[in-house]
Amino acid sequence: MAYLDTDVRYLKGIGEKKAQALNKLGVYLVRDLLSYFPRKYEDRSEFTPIALTLDGENACIQAIVADTPRLVRIRKGMELVKFRAVDDSGSVDITYFNSPYVKDQLHKGQCCNFYGKITFVGNKRTMANPVHEDENTVGGITGRIVPIYRLSAGLSQKLFMSSIRQGLDAAGGELPEVLPESVREKYQLAQAGFAYENIHFPTDFESLELARRRLIFEELFLLACALGKMKGSHSAADGIKMADTDMEEFFSSLPFTPTGAQIRATNDAMRDMKSGKAMNRLVQGDVGSGKTLVAAALIWYAWKNGKMSAFMAPTEILVEQHMASLEGFLGKFGMRIGKLTGSSTAKEKREVKSKLLNGEIDLIVGTHALFSDDVEYKNLGLVVTDEQHRFGVNQRSSLIGKGDKPHVLVMSATPIPRTLALIIYGDLDISVIDELPPGRQKVDTFAVTESYRTRLNGFIHKLVTEGRQVFVVCPMIEENEELPDNIKSAEEHAEELSRRFPDLRVACVHGRLKPKVKNEIMQAFVIGEIDILVSTTVIEVGVDVPNAALMIIENAERFGLSQLHQLRGRVGRGRHKSYCVLVSDTDNEVSEARLKIMTQTNDGFKISEEDLKLRGPGDFFGSRQHGLPEMHVADLCTDINVLQMAQIAANELLAEDADLYKPEHQALRKAVERLFELNADTLN
Ligand code: ADP
Ligand code: MG
């Protein structure tokens, strides 16, 4: 067996317990360990003469222990070890808190390396709890650039360093070079062995950068190859060839003029549908950009070509809304529109299924129920899925298997920076709707603390009195979740608001209600019978209530930025001036920065780019929202170039050897297969 596939529990220094702690971090085999990259590095490579160290600086010094370390007991449970250390230039007072054993590790006259923070007390230099080791230590934690790993309970930096060292020494020669030499040369990438050595134990920062660049490239390149292969296998499929059709009849029937971006997206898709190959296209557009119209145009186009369409939405409420807007766009042409959801009665289901089988429906709108095994279609030409975060890559492809290769259009409001979208949706062609319908107003957004509660309530009352409606969103109530006191639970918050506003109509929806009840409440809000709707994020996806002019998000720090943006998109859909208020008492800097971004821009792409900068793509990829494998190399934001390069290189390579058949591509092929294996649930 290859050493890389050895279980980490067999490494020196790792027993059953530590192995379990490592497993929790996703580390099972030596190969996982070697791919567990440092979170950051500390530059301890330079020794600074004590006299030149600055107040507040982290410094590495080489000094002699000048007196015998003494144990001082300040009070019960508080022990200090104190001594002075000197070099040619000066001295520093060193203290260890609650580490009595240090007294026996260090002795007068010993020459040691220390690394820690220098603090000036009066005119004296001090260091508290520095790391220390004998000056002659080889491969230690001073005198070099030191990797810092993300830890969990029971693990230490030292353990990571020593076990990774073991792994590299034993398996270094075995590390597969998955990048073909031609690719490595063309893009000037370091070799695998060098990269793994230097990402963990860089000899200098230049080597670290080379290692990082290579590993990021490798990871993205593998993913791009995997997705490229999937795309290749889809688009090789023959599709229904549709004829040229004059769209004027459809477009001139609309109550408004379509935007240029809507027309472009429609044309992109029509080009696919005429090509004879099956379409696989993503239409990406910010909330409110008018994606439904694009779908309607294509459904109409398919109908003109004698084909029926299926439109799938993630929730029943959305099915209702899409039904309404699609009827508005298409009903007047005499198209026959049907509905199928989980809550359709047995009788309704039977009827709809028989109509679908007999070709008596031109458009069916529904939830997942549309694609259960017992539903058969006659003449299915187009499948539209309104993705809105909810469907992963795998569900998309399960639709494609239905009937004889219908065209597939995926709509997504997840604003992903374009460069990332290239990879995340690498198996689809992309059209971006980058223009909002005219006259859209910006939603004024405010981030406030609890101390604004009274004013906020006043504002709610004023708006409702003017005839507007209000959304209030609270963080999700998980089943059995113990909510910290400050987290608003939707139900409690709704009760509080009803007490506060006895004259207003307050209702609450959350995920634990039966779909039917949830639906009734949502409908009541849509037709204006409720003034304030308190909810968990069930309203996140697409409901259209043009009269709603205020979105309040409680404990806003608990939401992701793109989620906040989606939620905000629920208001500002009518002609009324609209507002979004983010309530949060967080004092976490990153959370504050994220909320601030919301107050500064309404542009979803910009928000996601800023989010990317704040969180790093490690998180972005790690969130699994997109249904892709987790990435290991964090902090890609500065590496958008590498991302693009990897994409281009993958395309070039697949163009030359689509099946990765050539001998020089075997290592790559294995790695791609491994990626598919590990992610069988998402990549298929
Ligand atoms: P989303 O992209 O978020 O799904 P929708 O398709 O729900 O957006 O459209 C949002 C609103 O904008 C709808 O009420 C729709 O009728 C309207 N709309 C769409 N396109 C236009 C347009 N070109 N001009 C004016 N209003 C439009
Ligand atoms: Mg929509």
Side-chain angles (χ1 to χ4, degrees), residues 287-288 291-292 318 322 386 388 411 413 542 570 573:
V287 271
K291 294 182 289 292
T292 319
L318 276 175
H322 282 304
D386 190 6
Q388 309 261 28
M411 303 197 297
R570 298 302 109 214
R573 298 170 85 84

Side-chain angles (χ1 to χ4, degrees), residues 256-259 262 286-293 437 440 544 573:
F256 45 68
T257 316
T259 62
Q262 284 171 322
D286 210 346
V287 271
S289 61
K291 294 182 289 292
T292 319
L293 172 64
R440 279 292 152 74
D544 208 2
R573 298 170 85 84

